[in-house]
Amino acid sequence: MTNIHVCTAQESQSLDMKICKQPRTEVTKKAATRKVVESLVDQLIASNLISNERLFEQILYNKDIIWIQNDSFNGHLLAKANSTDQLKTKTNGFMMYMPTNPIVYEVNGEHYHLITRIDSTRAKPNLERLSQVPKPILSAARVNDLLCSIVMRFYEIYLEDLSQVAHKDKQLIHFVEREYQQFLEAVKELNEYHLNWHPRGNGHQQLLELIDNLQLLKSRPGKVLMDFSNPHSYAVVEPSYNFVG
């Protein structure tokens, strides 16, 4: 997955909420787990397929995706920059958000840090977790579960919001529903095998390949999605909100 530079403040001037990634240079060589999450987050922001408000509320700052809590401070995929020092594990004091050279996103002028301590535990994606009651955690998110949850929530919100657009394209909805279902079935199939789910294992790599092959995640409004099983079937991507570009 390619790390995408993101700054939507200029691209999405019609939106009330502005999300702009601050420039940074990765200085750590062993950053595979956080880099794949960073890349996926950047990709979703750059897509302009769901509104920034919905992206923030449903993915970037949503308890269902990940919820870090310590006393009166909360963190999710993003945490407010002035709270990150308090969001660390109680057992060993590890910082959940990078104390130096953090990955920073500006949301309506306020700085947030992306979670960077992501557990390398060999854990399969849990396809049922989004339907469970979220619980605050003080240990790092398991990367495969986190990646899968982000993708699932993005598809669900896109489809939900797209169905509310007045001039919705039923062909587009059918295409996205089919691609989403194929992704879920592929993840279920992976979970049936005895794979190594460590970030350097074959299970993790195959999950990344599944995500990288999703056409919607690489799209922006106006892109043509192709049905490779039927060369005469295609859909044009639309934003799931009234976008004025």
Side-chain angles (χ1 to χ4, degrees), residues 32-94:
T33 54
R34 72 165 173 264
K35 285 177 72 175
V36 295
V37 174
E38 178 187 7
S39 176
L40 181 57
V41 168
D42 289 353
Q43 199 168 342
L44 301 189
I45 296 173
S47 73
N48 276 329
L49 294 183
I50 64 176
S51 71
N52 285 344
E53 289 90 344
R54 292 281 276 170
L55 181 64
F56 184 79
E57 294 170 0
Q58 296 295 324
I59 296 179
L60 302 181
Y61 210 72
N62 185 358
K63 290 181 179 180
D64 291 338
I65 303 297
I66 178 173
W67 178 19
I68 312 297
Q69 185 185 56
N70 192 347
D71 299 325
S72 59
F73 297 97
N74 285 292
H76 305 85
L77 273 178
L78 297 184
K80 293 183 178 180
N82 58 9
S83 301
T84 54
D85 286 345
Q86 286 77 27
L87 294 166
K88 55 181 134 181
T89 60
K90 291 182 178 179
T91 53
N92 51 28
F94 278 122

Side-chain angles (χ1 to χ4, degrees), residues 179-235:
E179 185 173 71
Y180 182 37
Q181 188 60 40
Q182 289 172 347
F183 171 74
L184 295 178
E185 291 172 358
V187 174
K188 288 178 183 177
E189 186 175 352
L190 283 182
N191 281 346
E192 293 176 358
Y193 299 136
H194 295 288
L195 300 173
N196 180 353
W197 287 98
H198 187 275
R200 291 183 295 276
N202 56 352
H204 176 71
Q205 294 304 318
Q206 289 187 54
L207 177 63
L208 291 184
E209 290 175 9
L210 286 179
I211 294 173
D212 198 41
N213 287 331
L214 293 171
Q215 291 190 65
L216 184 69
L217 297 190
K218 296 179 178 180
S219 300
R220 295 193 182 191
K223 179 166 180 169
V224 175
L225 302 180
M226 298 299 301
D227 181 355
F228 296 108
S229 64
N230 181 0
H232 299 292
S233 178
Y234 65 91

Side-chain angles (χ1 to χ4, degrees), residues 63 66-68 132-138:
K63 290 181 179 180
I66 178 173
W67 178 19
I68 312 297
Q132 299 170 353
V133 176
K135 296 180 181 180
I137 63 171
L138 279 172

